Amino acid sequence: MRTTSRYRAAARMVAAIGVVSLLAACSGNGGTTGTGATGGSEAGGYPDQNITIVVPFSAGGPTDTVTRMIAEPMAAKLGGKIVVQNVEGAGGTVGAGEVARAKPDGYTVLMHHIGMSTAPALYKNLGYKPLESFQTVGLVTEVPMTVVARKDFAPATLQDLVTHVKANADKVTLANAGIGAASHLCGLLFQAATGVKLQEVPYEGTGPALTDLVGGQVDFMCDQTTNTSGQISAGEVKAYAVTTPERVKSLPDVPTTTEAGLPKLQVSVWHGLYVPTGTPQDVVQKLSEALKVALADQKVIDQMAKLGTAPVPAEDATPQAHRAKLEEQLGTWAKVIADSGVKVS
C-alpha cells in the first residue's frame, strides 16, 4: 500500500516472531522459554533462557534477512535459543529505544544498520544516545546499495537518469522505506550529488516500497542488494548502478556509480549488534565470539554472497572496531543531514 504522508513517527508493529532452534540445549535448562529473567553478573551460566534479537524494521527486509542468517550459528555457539523479533517504526528508532531501556543482562540484543548513526541528526526527541545508551558487540556486514527503477522507466543509464530528473524534478517520484531508513539516506545522497530536489514517497518499510516500484507506482529508489538482487536478476526492475567502489559479484553486469558517471554517490549499509549499556563485559564478549563464529560459517557466507554482500573480517566483529565505526559515522552523517535540511519533529 502506497504511503504518501510523512512517516508516522510513533508507528509500531510487532511482526511474527521467528524462533531459531538450537543444536545444543542450554546448560541445565534446555526447555526454558521466554525473556526477562536476570542473567546475573557473570557469563558462566549465560545463556540460561531465550535471547531476543530485536530488528527495528519489518520482517523480510534487508536487516531482518541478515539477522536471521546469523541467528542459528550464533545460538549454536552460545548453547541457548535466539528469538528474532521485529519491532518497526520511526526509521528504526522505536525498536532501538526499546532495547536501550531493556534490562542490561544480555538477553535483549539489537541488530541495527547505518540508521544508528543518523538518528541523532534526524530526530529532535530521540530518547536515547547511540554512544551512551548502548554497548557495541561487533559489526556484521556492509551491504552495497543499488539505484533501481521500474522496468519501463525511460532513462536507460545512470547518466540518462540524472538528465531526466533534472528536467522533470517535479514529476519524478523517489521512493524510500521511511525517514531515516537506508533507502532514504541513499536518496539524500543522490539528490545532493545531482543538485536536484525530488518528490520523495516514504513507505512503512522496504518491502512495500519495492513492491510498488515493481508494480510501477513509483519511478525509482535506492535499496540494499540484499533486497534487490532477486528482482534485478529476474528483470523485474531496471538497475542503474551499485553504490560501492567495486562491482558486486552477484550483479556483475551492473556498473558502479563511479563507472556510471556519478562518483559522489557512494554508500554502503553497515550492520552491527548492540546491547544496553551496563551489560556485563563477559556477556558482551560471549556474544561477540558467537558473532565471529556465525560470520565464519560457510552457509552464512554463501547466503550473503547470493545477496551481494559478505561478512566483515573477524577483526571488525569486535566491540572496539564497531564503536570506532559508529563514532566515525555519527560525524559523517551529522553534516550530510544538516546540509539536506531534513528533520523529524
Side-chain angles (χ1 to χ4, degrees):
M1 178 177 67
R2 179 171 174 173
T3 302
T4 55
S5 62
R6 282 285 182 184
Y7 193 88
R8 296 194 299 272
R12 179 178 183 267
M13 178 181 73
V14 179
I17 296 175
V19 180
V20 182
S21 296
L22 307 180
L23 300 178
C26 50
S27 174
N29 197 19
T32 300
T33 59
T35 58
T38 180
S41 60
E42 297 182 358
Y46 175 85
D48 60 7
Q49 59 176 297
N50 287 0
I51 298 169
T52 297
I53 298 182
V54 172
V55 176
F57 304 102
S58 60
T63 304
D64 178 72
T65 298
V66 170
T67 305
R68 293 177 191 276
M69 284 181 184
I70 67 170
E72 184 172 350
M74 279 190 68
K77 171 63 176 176
L78 290 166
K81 290 184 179 179
I82 289 181
V83 175
V84 179
Q85 184 178 16
N86 300 90
V87 182
E88 62 181 278
T93 62
V94 173
E98 287 198 4
V99 176
R101 295 185 294 272
K103 189 171 185 177
D105 54 11
Y107 290 100
T108 305
V109 181
L110 174 69
M111 171 73 91
H112 210 336
H113 63 26
I114 192 172
M116 180 65 90
S117 62
T118 62
L122 285 169
Y123 293 87
K124 185 184 299 183
N125 301 307
L126 189 57
Y128 60 85
K129 297 180 179 180
L131 292 173
E132 297 176 20
S133 303
F134 299 95
Q135 290 175 249
T136 51
V137 174
L139 294 168
V140 178
T141 186
E142 291 208 30
V143 183
M145 302 287 285
T146 52
V147 182
V148 293
R150 53 184 171 86
K151 62 183 180 181
D152 59 349
F153 199 38
T157 67
L158 187 63
Q159 277 298 303
D160 291 341
L161 175 64
V162 172
T163 300
H164 184 81
V165 299
K166 285 183 176 180
N168 301 277
D170 59 335
K171 299 175 184 177
V172 175
T173 51
L174 173 61
N176 64 55
I179 294 175
S183 53
H184 174 240
L185 301 172
C186 183
L188 289 181
L189 288 180
F190 177 87
Q191 292 174 86
T194 58
V196 179
K197 177 63 178 174
L198 296 171
Q199 179 183 347
E200 296 185 71
V201 183
Y203 287 76
E204 294 186 359
T206 299
L210 191 59
T211 296
D212 269 12
L213 185 72
V214 172
Q217 279 75 49
V218 287
D219 294 325
F220 81 108
M221 68 182 294
C222 292
D223 202 4
Q224 301 174 58
T225 57
T226 46
N227 207 44
T228 61
S229 291
Q231 285 80 3
I232 292 171
S233 298
E236 295 177 346
V237 296
K238 181 180 292 186
Y240 292 120
V242 293
T243 62
T244 45
E246 298 180 355
R247 292 197 181 197
V248 174
K249 290 181 180 179
S250 63
L251 300 169
D253 297 328
V254 180
T256 67
T257 49
T258 298
E259 292 173 330
L262 199 62
K264 291 183 179 180
L265 180 58
Q266 291 202 12
V267 60
S268 59
V269 183
W270 54 275
H271 294 73
L273 292 178
Y274 302 80
V275 290
T277 292
T279 302
Q281 286 303 310
D282 45 3
V283 171
V284 175
Q285 192 59 38
K286 269 199 168 185
L287 286 167
S288 182
E289 291 302 319
L291 173 61
K292 290 177 186 176
V293 168
L295 297 181
D297 186 279
Q298 191 59 49
K299 182 178 178 182
V300 172
I301 294 170
D302 292 344
Q303 288 175 324
M304 286 192 179
K306 290 179 181 178
L307 297 174
T309 187
V312 299
E315 58 267 25
D316 289 340
T318 64
Q320 297 77 16
H322 185 180
R323 184 176 177 87
K325 179 76 170 182
L326 178 59
E327 289 175 342
E328 179 267 325
Q329 289 280 283
L330 281 164
T332 296
W333 284 102
K335 184 179 186 307
V336 170
I337 292 169
D339 290 346
S340 75
V342 175
K343 278 285 183 183
V344 182
S345 58

